Amino acid sequence: MKTVSVATKPFAGQKPGTSGLRKKVKVFSQPGYLENFVQCIFDSLEGHQGTTLVLGGDGRFFNDVAIQVILRMAAAAGFGRVLVGRDGILSTPAASAVIRKRGAFGGIILSASHNPGGPDDDFGIKYNLGNGGPANEVFTDAVYRRTQEISVYRTVESPDVELGIFGESNIGEMVVSVIDPVADYVELLESLFDFERISSLLARPEFRMRFDAMHAVTGPYAHAILEGRLGAPAGTVVNGTPLPDFGGGHPDPNPVYAADLVAALADPASGLSFGAASDGDGDRNMIVGRGFIVSPSDSIAVLAANYQLIPAYAKGLSGVARSMPTSCALDRVAAELGIACYETPTGWKYFGSLLDANMATLCGEESAGTGSNHVREKDGLWAVLYWLNILAVRDEPVEKIVREHWRRFGRNVYSRHDFEGIETAKADELMAQLRQKLPTLSGQEVEGMRIKAADDFSYTDPVDGSTSVKQGVRILLEDGSRAVFRLSGTGTEGATLRLYLERYVADPALHEVETQKALAPLVALSEKLARIAAITGRKSPDVIS
């Protein structure tokens, strides 16, 4: 098999964000654009010759084309075997599970996560290490440096591989194994939870659930686990067929884009007791009870507080971790349990070293991501099964479980306001002006609230000593409330300003307060400090979650 070296030139802007490189399909479709980035990944590896690579994605538009390109380039790079999910499908948590179970050198995951898909929408690619987790900043920085100097990429001449049939074929000396994308993952989850007890719950006539796969990658996994292994009635999983454009929807499991699910759980006539959804690549989740939406920050706290009910975790948690913008609800649980709670920058890659070192067992992000040490990615279906296991044991509805949690630990009233597609220069200006104010803010009173401290969050990994700076501006108030400003690294066009708002309410008599009403003073403070409307022209957020 002939290896072909193709002359190329660097493309600007191939810097990986929070979770890989994400751009519009039209950008990735440029001749050499994908090839350059893949070559830079392979050039940054050491010792991969003859080893196994895992490859798959969420099935979005361009997924099939990209996989064939990467297979040829993997052969040219000297990999001995590539494990690829049938039809190119592998959810992000399933890819992590396969890497870990099969002892692979690493993996390439093709996804833009919760971003829309289609010829005019988004595509993404990221590299995962041999522990199954996203590459750390040391590696992604090396890849980016390489993208600025690349002059040649290498591929081989070969026909496309048939990905719709299980089995093996060859590209030169490299073996391509088309595997069941579901099997390893189902086996792993069954080892963690009490499937028999969950199955009994789903068999009760008075208990009905709905899982919205949003025409994304989780559909086949949900069909296999919920309707197959656990025996939920056919139709429990809706929108369960992955489509290249996600059926024209936005595969982000929040009250805005999963409004149909929220409405169904709010309608008594639906007879539904429990609802859940997952995103484009299967790593995020949304939990809904009857007329009650569980915030992601509350969800990870409830999971940690109920660890004793879950077979895999009943012996104890080594620690927990959350991203900095996530509410402090998890901290309060950790304090009562007497375990550490680590605060990291946003991005699942920051949890990897803690999980590998057994310093944390459960991890969570406010952006609907929760997971544990079973893989090195957040895991949407894992969170759904964890909740079902709790419901099966406690025999109480979702809302009662959450409200009892608030009575025990207090309520961290929390919301995220997203200002999407802001002109990048204006977003950068806003953050720069805010950072300039930080040294003078401590002790100031703004909108009737006194600022205790203000900083630009930085993090030193307690395992490897690596540092990350400028991870978000924090305004910390004397009453324990917080406002956090951060530019998102998951978009593909313009910039998204995320404003995170949190207020702690201990008194159970005040737990019924409406979230946005409770946070209105923090919204006013944030506007006064950051001048969002004046700088960006945006008078209100695009999405509130």
Side-chain angles (χ1 to χ4, degrees):
M1 182 81 46
K2 182 182 179 182
T3 299
V4 180
S5 296
V6 182
T8 189
K9 294 181 179 180
F11 288 89
Q14 288 194 324
K15 182 176 177 61
T18 304
S19 192
L21 181 68
R22 295 179 186 173
K23 302 288 183 181
K24 293 296 182 183
V25 168
K26 291 179 179 178
V27 174
F28 269 105
S29 299
Q30 298 175 88
Y33 191 92
L34 172 66
E35 290 87 345
N36 272 24
F37 192 74
V38 172
Q39 188 63 59
C40 292
I41 290 175
F42 291 158
D43 287 349
S44 302
L45 301 176
E46 295 181 1
H48 65 282
Q49 285 79 12
T51 65
T52 297
L53 179 74
V54 172
L55 175 62
D58 61 13
R60 69 178 57 231
F61 190 88
F62 198 63
N63 192 79
D64 52 349
V65 174
I67 283 180
Q68 299 293 346
V69 168
I70 295 168
L71 285 172
R72 295 185 183 98
M73 294 186 68
F79 280 96
R81 180 181 296 271
V82 176
L83 304 176
V84 57
R86 185 176 63 181
D87 296 324
I89 292 291
L90 266 181
S91 76
T92 292
S96 182
V98 172
I99 291 170
R100 293 171 63 80
K101 180 180 178 180
R102 307 291 184 100
F105 186 86
I108 291 178
I109 300 174
L110 303 174
S111 174
S113 188
H114 56 293
N115 293 4
D120 297 320
D121 286 305
D122 301 345
F123 189 75
I125 176 173
K126 70 172 182 175
Y127 182 76
N128 277 33
L129 304 172
N131 71 344
N136 54 34
E137 285 187 326
V138 172
F139 183 84
T140 57
D141 286 348
V143 171
Y144 178 55
R145 288 193 298 271
R146 183 69 182 136
T147 68
Q148 298 173 299
E149 61 189 22
I150 186 172
S151 60
V152 64
Y153 68 81
R154 289 174 292 280
T155 186
V156 299
E157 295 177 345
S158 70
D160 285 354
V161 174
E162 172 55 62
L163 299 179
I165 302 173
F166 295 133
E168 294 188 345
S169 58
N170 287 78
I171 299 179
E173 296 182 0
M174 187 185 79
V175 178
V176 179
S177 298
V178 178
I179 65 170
D180 183 340
V182 176
D184 288 352
Y185 179 73
V186 173
E187 178 184 293
L188 176 59
L189 292 190
E190 189 164 6
S191 73
L192 303 177
F193 300 105
D194 189 341
F195 269 31
E196 297 310 312
R197 199 152 191 173
I198 297 173
S199 182
S200 296
L201 172 69
L202 295 175
R204 296 181 194 173
E206 74 277 11
F207 185 92
R208 289 182 56 210
M209 75 165 286
R210 178 175 296 173
F211 180 87
D212 189 346
M214 307 188 83
H215 285 303
V217 76
T218 315
Y221 299 87
H223 279 301
I225 295 174
L226 296 175
E227 296 180 353
R229 176 62 184 83
L230 294 172
T236 295
V237 178
V238 299
N239 301 320
T241 301
L243 298 175
D245 65 349
F246 306 114
H250 192 142
D252 190 354
N254 64 44
V256 174
Y257 298 122
D260 288 348
L261 179 68
V262 173
L265 268 294
D267 181 5
S270 72
L272 293 170
S273 308
F274 179 74
S278 189
D279 70 329
D281 65 329
D283 62 357
R284 301 184 186 216
N285 73 90
M286 178 182 181
I287 303 298
V288 188
R290 285 194 186 115
F292 188 88
I293 301 169
V294 183
S295 79
S297 291
D298 278 339
S299 183
I300 182 61
V302 170
L303 300 189
N306 287 274
Y307 76 92
Q308 291 176 312
L309 307 183
I310 311 301
Y313 312 110
K315 292 183 179 179
L317 307 177
S318 61
V320 293
R322 63 168 176 84
S323 63
M324 179 273 288
T326 303
S327 92
C328 299
L330 183 61
D331 306 50
R332 300 182 186 283
V333 176
E336 181 168 306
L337 296 179
I339 59 176
C341 181
Y342 299 94
E343 183 179 37
T344 75
T346 295
W348 207 260
K349 58 191 174 185
Y350 295 104
F351 295 138
S353 62
L354 298 172
L355 294 168
D356 286 345
N358 197 33
M359 295 171 68
T361 305
L362 303 182
C363 304
E365 294 181 331
E366 54 71 37
S367 55
T370 44
S372 82
N373 56 1
H374 69 294
V375 290
R376 295 298 182 268
E377 291 278 6
K378 49 186 177 278
D379 189 344
L381 261 181
W382 171 90
V384 175
L385 291 171
Y386 202 126
W387 266 98
L388 285 170
N389 206 149
I390 292 172
L391 295 172
V393 176
R394 291 185 56 167
D395 195 21
E396 296 172 328
V398 169
E399 181 175 1
K400 183 177 181 181
I401 289 171
V402 175
R403 292 194 181 280
E404 286 189 357
H405 182 92
W406 291 344
R407 281 193 289 273
R408 180 180 173 188
F409 296 100
R411 182 185 177 191
N412 289 73
V413 183
Y414 182 88
S415 184
R416 188 181 87 189
H417 291 196
D418 290 352
F419 300 81
E420 298 178 336
I422 296 173
E423 205 176 303
T424 302
K426 291 182 178 179
D428 290 341
E429 177 189 352
L430 183 150
M431 293 300 292
Q433 290 189 16
L434 193 55
R435 287 185 168 109
Q436 288 177 354
K437 296 177 181 178
L438 290 177
T440 67
L441 292 180
S442 181
Q444 282 194 32
E445 187 169 302
V446 181
E447 296 291 326
M449 293 170 283
R450 187 168 296 278
I451 297 173
K452 179 180 180 180
D455 65 10
D456 199 349
F457 182 65
S458 62
Y459 176 70
T460 300
D461 190 297
V463 179
D464 61 23
S466 61
T467 59
S468 300
V469 299
K470 291 190 173 181
Q471 294 297 315
V473 170
R474 300 188 298 180
I475 310 298
L476 310 176
L477 305 181
E478 287 189 348
D479 67 356
S481 300
R482 296 192 308 164
V484 175
F485 301 80
R486 178 179 160 270
L487 297 183
S488 171
T490 60
T492 62
E493 201 167 47
T496 295
L497 171 67
R498 301 203 196 280
L499 170 61
Y500 310 87
L501 305 163
E502 178 178 7
R503 175 187 167 195
Y504 179 65
V505 179
D507 186 356
L510 301 177
H511 287 171
E512 299 299 322
V513 64
E514 197 276 322
T515 298
Q516 299 308 319
K517 181 178 180 180
L519 297 175
L522 283 173
V523 172
L525 174 144
S526 300
E527 172 59 35
K528 188 156 189 176
L529 290 178
R531 302 176 59 244
I532 298 172
I535 295 175
T536 70
R538 303 294 183 84
K539 295 183 179 179
S540 61
D542 297 283
V543 177
I544 295 177
S545 57

